Amino acid sequence: MNLGLLGFGVVGSGVCRIIDAQDTEELKDIHISKILVKDLSEGNDPRLCVNAEEILNDPDIDVIVECMGGLEPAHAIAAKTLAAGKSFVTSNKKMYATFQQELQQLSTTHGGRIGCEACVGGGIPWLHEVAHTRRIDAISSFRGIMNGTTNYILSGMTDTGAEFDEMLKQAQSLGYAERDPSDDIDGYDVRYKTCISAAHCFDAMAKPEEIPSYGIRNIKAKDIAWARKNQRIIKLIGQGTLKDGALQASVMPVFLHESDAMSRVSSNFNQIELNGATLGRAAFYGQGAGSLPTAHAVVQDIIDLKQNRTHAASHPHACNVDNEAVTGTYYVRTAKLASFTGLIDQKIDEETFLTAAVSMNGLLQAVKNADDPALFLAEVDR
Amino acid sequence: MNLGLLGFGVVGSGVCRIIDAQDTEELKDIHISKILVKDLSEGNDPRLCVNAEEILNDPDIDVIVECMGGLEPAHAIAAKTLAAGKSFVTSNKKMYATFQQELQQLSTTHGGRIGCEACVGGGIPWLHEVAHTRRIDAISSFRGIMNGTTNYILSGMTDTGAEFDEMLKQAQSLGYAERDPSDDIDGYDVRYKTCISAAHCFDAMAKPEEIPSYGIRNIKAKDIAWARKNQRIIKLIGQGTLKDGALQASVMPVFLHESDAMSRVSSNFNQIELNGATLGRAAFYGQGAGSLPTAHAVVQDIIDLKQNRTHAASHPHACNVDNEAVTGTYYVRTAKLASFTGLIDQKIDEETFLTAAVSMNGLLQAVKNADDPALFLAEVDR
């Protein structure tokens, strides 16, 4: 099996290292033929090239492995690969979540297969375990800590009492956070992963922008202090539930009870769990990012393609997000308390309150109306 | 694929329920032909029979699924099945760990395959994930909470300050512990699971009796209190490491640091983790026992057999346990302090001390010499 590798950054170089090492029986006969880079000065590997067409049109290349990131040209390359009946493996959650419906359709029509394990949970074999569980069980719900950057920041704030900005700077200096951290701290990254997880757990392909998503940009040490005092630990959680045929999904900070094992996942680790009909609650913990763990997930997809492993259970179809029936209690801190009259059950201080059990859609409509750029919102119970 | 199911208790009846339901594509064409029971009054299923030979000699039965428990006749049936070139799936950790080498040999010689996912971690897809990881990585170590009964007791003692006897009675009244709880509380159950895990992680098949194993029978509330005061939470841990070709393995209570996510696994849940060369630390959490979760694991093995899934990485061979190079610091409470002269680094009270970093084998020799039936031992650091 000959691969065309697109991108030679953190993940791409890890893929190259694992496959070139040929450490196991399963890696035998898997070879990287060409590696797309922006500039030939990125290394002195004779397989480097700068022309994507050269790779896409190479009849000896069976599988395209995309680790470039960004929407384009990754999306155009994915579409072209699948339209040619070739298989496509990607670690690009943003591109894949955004164009999931189109790419699945191309896969079904032309027979090329898609691997996207590395898009969710880094090295954690999450999508693999979802498919494995579904050989027997219907999955009713999933939830998880899916972003290492924000978990690092939240864990640090919880452990040290530091403010958000301080922990963000620390995460940036360690390479855990980008210079422009919006994708992580505003919840977009978790939204892509929640979207992809819903497709794998429930066959329900939603558009990412339909999933209400709130991040941690506005969190303050005093929110963490309130959590502590109430035996809670805050985590940024992506979750999905299939209820009476409707896909419920959201991304937001959640005050997990400290008896919940997920609340204890610290530093930049991820943990994702599912509920299966006979399996019950099962959780998977590991490195949510990093060169070799993420590359490990990419290579697992490649081995599945080589071994022609398929999962009969999966028949994804387009689906809308429908949170109409979701109710919960929420913690809101805002300068515009007046916008929330009728939703305030208990005032914590002049700018912070708890709701009673209310409709999530109703609360989010009030949040929208309040239009407060500094508002902080978290789920307390559901 | 036609199955002969041996045993119709907690696990066997769960297997029957999942397979008969035929809920997924993967379960199609898998049928239970006959069910071995001790007494036909166990149910009114027309497939019940009381004669094992009738099942073993049925030419239409492809796979024997053993959920009887106990060493014999389970072992004789396993050997006969494999000698006939048929495949064998079991949830019987005691029998499988004890006769692993013989049964593996029969499998290799006659071509029948063995499934034992349900032997370790109940519903947790632990052995599956070990094999999956090994498609790419060498595994250097594993450790885990592998026994729900003892975890329930230890979690309860930690949360409430209760003494051991009180929590054991509670576990028995909830059905989490047997009337004779020795297998659980003396560490034998975890020893079988550690033994099977080592074979899957490292291809190293040791005899279970070679793995030094200490349980929690002698733990007291004051040991837990000491742990608490030192930011530790006690868990019964089975662990294995492959170091310079030697298999290191042990079962004993460990004072995990409370920042270790594994310390937060509570109630009767299990969690097992591995260290992979490129994957890093990955952990798997779920129901370690119970009818449907354990049956789920049995049925996963059956589906693997049907789909003819094999793992090239696994070539288990006989191996001795060699803890010669293991050092650690230990907590010991004993009436026979005099037997430990030279090992006492810090006295906690008149009957309790901590060692410095010492040889595990040396300490265990001293424990043996002391011959104190009420001695309690735990690992603090390694």
Side-chain angles (χ1 to χ4, degrees):
Chain A
M1 174 178 269
N2 295 317
L3 312 177
L5 176 62
L6 313 184
F8 202 50
V10 172
V11 180
S13 62
V15 170
C16 198
R17 194 166 141 194
I18 291 173
I19 289 180
D20 287 355
Q22 295 279 309
D23 278 341
T24 64
E25 196 63 39
E26 277 85 352
L27 291 168
K28 296 276 180 297
D29 307 322
I30 299 178
H31 303 286
I32 296 173
S33 304
K34 291 191 173 122
I35 303 168
L36 183 71
V37 290
K38 281 192 191 125
D39 191 308
L40 287 177
S41 69
E42 285 184 45
N44 53 13
D45 193 304
R47 297 169 295 184
L48 298 188
C49 74
V50 291
N51 181 359
E53 294 299 318
E54 194 185 317
I55 297 181
L56 297 180
N57 298 329
D58 185 332
D60 292 334
I61 287 180
D62 311 294
V63 176
I64 297 296
V65 180
E66 185 263 311
C67 307
M68 297 188 291
L71 288 180
E72 299 294 351
H75 159 244
I77 287 170
K80 188 164 176 180
T81 300
L82 291 165
K86 291 191 181 184
S87 290
F88 180 78
V89 174
T90 183
S91 61
N92 184 341
K93 59 223 74 166
K94 181 175 184 172
M95 184 282 287
Y96 186 63
T98 306
F99 296 105
Q100 204 175 184
Q101 299 183 8
E102 175 198 346
L103 298 179
Q104 273 295 333
Q105 188 57 55
L106 284 168
S107 165
T108 305
T109 307
H110 302 282
R113 290 170 57 199
I114 298 171
C116 58
E117 178 66 77
C119 289
V120 190
I124 300 173
W126 163 242
L127 299 179
H128 170 78
E129 275 307 328
V130 166
H132 188 69
T133 303
R134 288 186 67 197
R135 302 202 305 179
I136 298 173
D137 279 359
I139 293 174
S140 56
S141 66
F142 70 89
R143 62 169 189 153
I145 296 169
M146 304 180 178
N147 181 277
T149 306
T150 47
N151 205 52
Y152 180 84
I153 293 171
L154 293 175
S155 299
M157 291 179 73
T158 301
D159 292 346
T160 67
E163 282 292 355
F164 174 81
D165 287 342
E166 191 183 326
M167 283 309 304
L168 173 62
K169 269 189 208 121
Q170 198 172 311
Q172 284 170 322
S173 74
L174 287 165
Y176 292 162
E178 310 278 338
R179 203 105 57 95
D180 173 2
S182 172
D183 248 21
D184 292 325
I185 68 174
D186 293 325
Y188 299 118
D189 176 77
V190 178
R191 175 145 86 170
Y192 302 134
K193 292 164 173 171
T194 300
C195 177
I196 295 169
S197 295
H200 284 252
C201 287
F202 313 130
D203 286 341
M205 283 193 293
K207 297 216 168 80
E209 61 270 25
E210 284 193 26
I211 300 175
S213 299
Y214 293 83
I216 63 164
R217 182 188 287 271
N218 292 335
I219 194 169
K220 289 188 177 167
K222 66 181 250 190
D223 305 318
I224 305 260
W226 181 86
R228 273 281 186 201
K229 219 172 57 189
N230 290 276
Q231 290 77 52
R232 304 278 181 159
I233 297 175
I234 194 160
K235 296 292 176 191
L236 181 59
I237 300 287
Q239 55 188 312
T241 302
L242 195 67
K243 192 152 190 183
D244 305 327
L247 170 62
Q248 302 173 342
S250 62
V251 175
M252 65 176 72
V254 177
F255 287 117
L256 299 174
H257 196 272
E258 64 182 26
S259 65
D260 183 338
M262 189 169 281
S263 76
R264 305 303 184 148
V265 173
S266 63
S267 187
N268 59 337
F269 279 87
N270 285 15
Q271 180 163 316
I272 322 180
E273 70 177 36
L274 58 79
N275 263 289
T278 67
L279 183 57
R281 190 151 73 93
F284 309 94
Y285 165 97
Q287 294 283 354
S291 175
L292 288 175
T294 311
H296 180 106
V298 170
V299 177
Q300 290 285 9
D301 276 345
I302 295 166
I303 294 172
D304 274 349
L305 288 175
K306 181 189 151 195
Q307 297 185 345
N308 204 26
R309 296 207 174 189
T310 54
H311 289 282
S314 186
H315 302 288
H317 58 268
C319 177
N320 295 317
V321 174
D322 176 3
N323 288 324
E324 201 52 46
V326 179
T327 59
T329 59
Y330 301 89
Y331 170 105
V332 181
R333 183 170 43 68
T334 173
K336 299 193 169 175
L337 225 60
S339 307
F340 293 88
T341 323
L343 285 165
I344 301 172
D345 184 60
Q346 182 192 330
K347 271 183 83 170
I348 293 169
D349 62 27
E350 325 77 80
E351 55 172 11
T352 317
F353 69 90
L354 293 178
T355 70
V358 297
S359 147
M360 181 168 85
N361 278 356
L363 177 78
L364 297 184
Q365 188 56 52
V367 166
K368 210 168 171 186
N369 295 344
D371 192 26
D372 171 6
L375 179 141
F376 175 73
L377 164 72
E379 183 182 296
V380 180
D381 276 311
R382 173 182 282 229
Chain B
M1 173 178 270
N2 295 318
L3 312 178
L5 176 62
L6 313 185
F8 202 50
V10 172
V11 180
S13 63
V15 170
C16 197
R17 191 165 143 195
I18 292 174
I19 289 179
D20 286 355
Q22 295 278 310
D23 277 341
T24 65
E25 195 63 40
E26 278 84 352
L27 291 168
K28 295 275 180 297
D29 307 322
I30 299 178
H31 303 288
I32 296 173
S33 303
K34 291 190 174 121
I35 303 168
L36 182 71
V37 289
K38 283 194 190 126
D39 190 309
L40 286 177
S41 69
E42 283 185 46
N44 53 13
D45 193 303
R47 296 168 296 183
L48 298 189
C49 72
V50 291
N51 181 358
E53 294 300 318
E54 191 184 321
I55 297 180
L56 297 180
N57 298 329
D58 185 334
D60 291 334
I61 287 180
D62 311 294
V63 176
I64 298 295
V65 180
E66 186 262 310
C67 306
M68 296 188 292
L71 287 181
E72 299 295 350
H75 159 244
I77 287 170
K80 187 163 178 182
T81 301
L82 291 164
K86 291 191 182 186
S87 291
F88 180 78
V89 174
T90 183
S91 61
N92 185 342
K93 61 223 74 166
K94 181 175 184 171
M95 184 282 288
Y96 186 63
T98 306
F99 297 104
Q100 206 177 183
Q101 298 182 9
E102 175 198 347
L103 298 179
Q104 274 294 333
Q105 189 56 56
L106 285 168
S107 163
T108 305
T109 307
H110 302 282
R113 290 169 57 201
I114 297 171
C116 59
E117 177 66 78
C119 290
V120 190
I124 299 173
W126 164 242
L127 300 179
H128 170 78
E129 274 307 327
V130 165
H132 188 69
T133 303
R134 290 186 66 198
R135 304 202 302 180
I136 298 172
D137 279 0
I139 293 174
S140 56
S141 67
F142 70 88
R143 63 169 189 153
I145 296 168
M146 303 179 177
N147 181 278
T149 307
T150 47
N151 205 53
Y152 180 83
I153 292 171
L154 293 174
S155 299
M157 290 180 73
T158 301
D159 292 346
T160 68
E163 283 292 356
F164 174 81
D165 288 341
E166 190 182 328
M167 283 311 304
L168 173 61
K169 270 187 207 123
Q170 198 172 311
Q172 285 170 322
S173 75
L174 287 166
Y176 292 162
E178 309 278 339
R179 203 107 55 99
D180 173 2
S182 172
D183 248 21
D184 292 325
I185 67 175
D186 293 326
Y188 299 118
D189 176 77
V190 178
R191 175 144 87 170
Y192 302 133
K193 292 165 174 171
T194 300
C195 177
I196 296 169
S197 295
H200 283 253
C201 286
F202 313 131
D203 285 341
M205 281 193 296
K207 298 216 167 82
E209 59 271 26
E210 285 193 25
I211 301 174
S213 299
Y214 294 83
I216 62 164
R217 184 188 285 273
N218 292 335
I219 194 169
K220 290 188 175 166
K222 65 181 251 190
D223 306 318
I224 305 259
W226 181 87
R228 272 282 184 200
K229 220 172 56 191
N230 291 276
Q231 290 77 53
R232 303 278 181 160
I233 297 174
I234 194 160
K235 296 291 177 192
L236 181 60
I237 300 286
Q239 55 189 312
T241 302
L242 195 68
K243 193 151 191 184
D244 304 327
L247 171 61
Q248 303 173 341
S250 61
V251 175
M252 67 176 70
V254 178
F255 287 118
L256 298 174
H257 196 273
E258 63 180 26
S259 65
D260 183 336
M262 190 169 281
S263 75
R264 306 302 184 148
V265 173
S266 63
S267 187
N268 59 337
F269 278 88
N270 285 16
Q271 180 163 315
I272 321 179
E273 69 177 36
L274 59 80
N275 264 288
T278 67
L279 183 58
R281 190 150 72 92
F284 309 94
Y285 165 98
Q287 294 283 355
S291 175
L292 288 175
T294 310
H296 180 105
V298 170
V299 177
Q300 290 286 7
D301 276 345
I302 295 167
I303 294 172
D304 274 350
L305 287 174
K306 181 188 151 194
Q307 298 185 345
N308 204 27
R309 296 206 173 189
T310 55
H311 288 282
S314 186
H315 303 288
H317 57 271
C319 177
N320 294 317
V321 173
D322 176 3
N323 288 323
E324 202 50 48
V326 179
T327 59
T329 60
Y330 300 89
Y331 171 105
V332 182
R333 182 169 44 68
T334 173
K336 299 195 170 173
L337 225 60
S339 306
F340 293 88
T341 321
L343 284 165
I344 300 172
D345 185 61
Q346 184 192 329
K347 272 184 81 170
I348 293 170
D349 60 29
E350 324 78 82
E351 54 170 11
T352 317
F353 68 91
L354 293 178
T355 70
V358 297
S359 147
M360 182 167 87
N361 278 356
L363 178 78
L364 297 184
Q365 188 55 53
V367 166
K368 213 170 168 182
N369 296 343
D371 192 26
D372 171 6
L375 179 141
F376 176 72
L377 164 71
E379 182 181 296
V380 179
D381 275 310
R382 173 181 282 229

